[in-house]
Amino acid sequence: MRRGESFEIECWTYLTNKYGSDLLNFKHHDTSDSTESDIEVVIKGRSKFFIEAKDSQAQSGQFVLMPDEENRVFIFSSLNKSESNTITDIIIEYMNLNFDKFNNAGTAGESINLDSRFFDKWIVGYYKNKGVRFVISKHKNMVILPIEKFAEYFNISATYRIKKSGSGDPAKKDINKLIAILSNRFGVSSRDINIVDKKVFVNINDGIDNNRFCEGKYTYYLSKTEINNTYRLKRLSNTRNMTVIFSIEIMLDQQPEDLEFFESVLLAESSKNFI
C-alpha cells in the first residue's frame, strides 16, 4: 500500500472512531480516480460534502502542460481533468518567459518561483470544485481545517517535471488472465475474488510478501483496503507527461476555532430534517 493511501485510511479511521454514528458515516474513496476526493461525509444516508486527506508532506493537485516548441509556448493539455483558469494562465505566462529552462525540466524538474498565494488559490478552487469543505492532515496530532484556510496551515510550492500517471482498474479483456495469475501466484480460488463495477477485489488470508507483478506491457499491484485481508487489483499507467505539480508541507498545529467550526458543521448537518 502506498503511503498516501495508508494515511487516507488512518484519517478515515480517526474520523469514524471520533465522530461516526448511526446517522453520520465517513466513506473512504479510492483516490486512483482523481475526480473524487478522499473521504465522503454521509449524514442520514445523504452525501453532504468531502474531506481531503493530506499527509504532512504531500502533493496537492496537478495539471499537464504540453510544450509547443515551434511557437515556444506551453499549452494547457486536453488530458487535464481540471479546467484552465486565471491561475493556470499566470503560471503559463511565467513559464513561457523561461521556455528553454522549463522545456528541459525532465524528471528532476524546475521550480516555479511565483508567489505561493497563486498556488493556494488554484488548490482551493480545485478542491472546492470536487465538493471538498475540509482538509485533514497531521502535524503533532491530527489537524482538521476549512479548505479556505489551506495557506495558513501549509507551505506550498510548485514544480514542472515529467510525471508518470497513477493507477486504475485493469482492462475488462484482461481480467480472466489476471485472475489465473492471482490464483497461481497467491493460491486464491474463484470464491476469493469479487468483481464489482470493473474493480477486482481479492481476499488473501495469509497476507502477501510482494504485491506487484508484470503482465504484458503493464505492472499490476494489490492495494490493501480497509477490510481485513482484502486487496484491490490495480494497473499502473505507462503514461509520462510534463506536469505542474503542487507540493505541500504542514507547518501549523490544530487551531481550536477551526476544529470547533468543523464540529459545528457536522452538528448542524446532522440536525437537519430531510424529507
Side-chain angles (χ1 to χ4, degrees):
M1 183 186 300
R2 60 181 174 84
R3 166 62 191 169
E5 189 174 4
S6 174
F7 184 69
E8 291 160 17
I9 293 174
E10 180 182 353
C11 292
W12 170 80
T13 302
Y14 172 82
L15 291 166
T16 298
N17 290 341
K18 186 167 184 179
Y19 298 108
S21 68
D22 291 340
L23 300 179
L24 172 57
N25 297 292
F26 298 92
K27 181 180 179 182
H28 175 237
H29 285 263
D30 170 51
T31 52
S32 63
D33 181 356
S34 62
T35 63
E36 291 187 336
S37 195
D38 299 324
I39 300 170
E40 183 179 10
V41 179
V42 180
I43 298 176
K44 299 178 182 178
R46 295 192 178 188
S47 176
K48 304 307 296 179
F49 57 86
F50 288 85
I51 301 171
E52 186 73 14
K54 287 298 176 190
D55 209 342
S56 56
Q57 292 183 320
Q59 293 178 7
S60 190
Q62 61 187 37
F63 56 87
V64 174
L65 294 182
M66 308 299 292
D68 177 349
E69 296 187 352
E70 181 178 352
N71 295 302
R72 297 178 59 79
V73 295
F74 292 95
I75 300 170
F76 191 83
S77 173
S78 59
L79 298 171
N80 290 309
K81 293 184 179 180
S82 61
E83 300 292 330
S84 61
N85 53 39
T86 302
I87 303 303
T88 59
D89 291 344
I90 290 171
I91 292 173
I92 291 171
E93 182 179 359
Y94 169 80
M95 291 174 59
N96 286 344
L97 294 173
N98 303 274
F99 183 82
D100 288 333
K101 180 176 75 169
F102 287 106
N103 192 37
N104 294 297
T107 55
E110 287 287 348
S111 296
I112 300 172
N113 296 317
L114 288 169
D115 192 314
S116 64
R117 287 178 295 180
F118 293 123
F119 308 151
D120 169 60
K121 189 172 182 180
W122 188 94
I123 290 170
V124 171
Y126 174 71
Y127 285 116
K128 277 189 172 182
N129 285 338
K130 297 206 298 181
V132 172
R133 289 191 63 181
F134 293 92
V135 175
I136 182 168
S137 186
K138 195 171 188 178
H139 197 232
K140 294 177 182 177
N141 298 295
M142 285 294 186
V143 175
I144 301 175
L145 58 133
I147 186 62
E148 293 84 359
K149 290 194 173 185
F150 200 90
E152 295 182 26
Y153 282 84
F154 293 96
N155 285 316
I156 311 171
S157 60
T159 305
Y160 185 64
R161 66 175 175 84
I162 292 176
K163 183 178 186 296
K164 192 171 182 178
S165 298
S167 61
D169 293 306
K172 184 177 180 181
K173 65 181 178 61
D174 296 327
I175 287 180
N176 288 338
K177 184 191 303 180
L178 294 169
I179 288 175
I181 293 173
L182 292 171
S183 179
N184 292 331
R185 187 180 180 93
F186 301 106
V188 297
S189 65
S190 58
R191 66 175 178 273
D192 298 315
I193 298 172
N194 187 27
I195 302 174
V196 181
D197 297 330
K198 297 191 297 184
K199 301 178 179 68
V200 180
F201 296 96
V202 187
N203 185 271
I204 305 176
N205 292 324
D206 296 332
I208 53 178
D209 296 324
N210 186 352
N211 68 340
R212 297 191 178 213
F213 63 91
C214 294
E215 170 58 29
K217 63 180 181 179
Y218 291 106
T219 297
Y220 296 85
Y221 75 102
L222 289 169
S223 175
K224 189 169 178 56
T225 71
E226 56 262 36
I227 303 172
N228 287 340
N229 302 321
T230 300
Y231 300 79
R232 180 173 169 185
L233 180 64
K234 295 183 179 179
R235 186 182 75 180
L236 293 175
S237 173
N238 290 330
T239 305
R240 293 161 62 88
N241 292 311
M242 292 299 297
T243 307
V244 173
I245 301 170
F246 299 98
S247 299
I248 59 172
E249 182 175 3
I250 196 164
M251 59 181 180
L252 191 66
D253 286 320
Q254 179 71 70
Q255 301 301 291
E257 64 271 19
D258 294 329
L259 182 61
E260 290 170 7
F261 176 63
F262 171 70
E263 292 174 343
S264 72
V265 169
L266 291 183
L267 179 60
E269 293 289 352
S270 299
S271 299
K272 289 181 180 179
N273 292 320
F274 300 130
I275 298 175

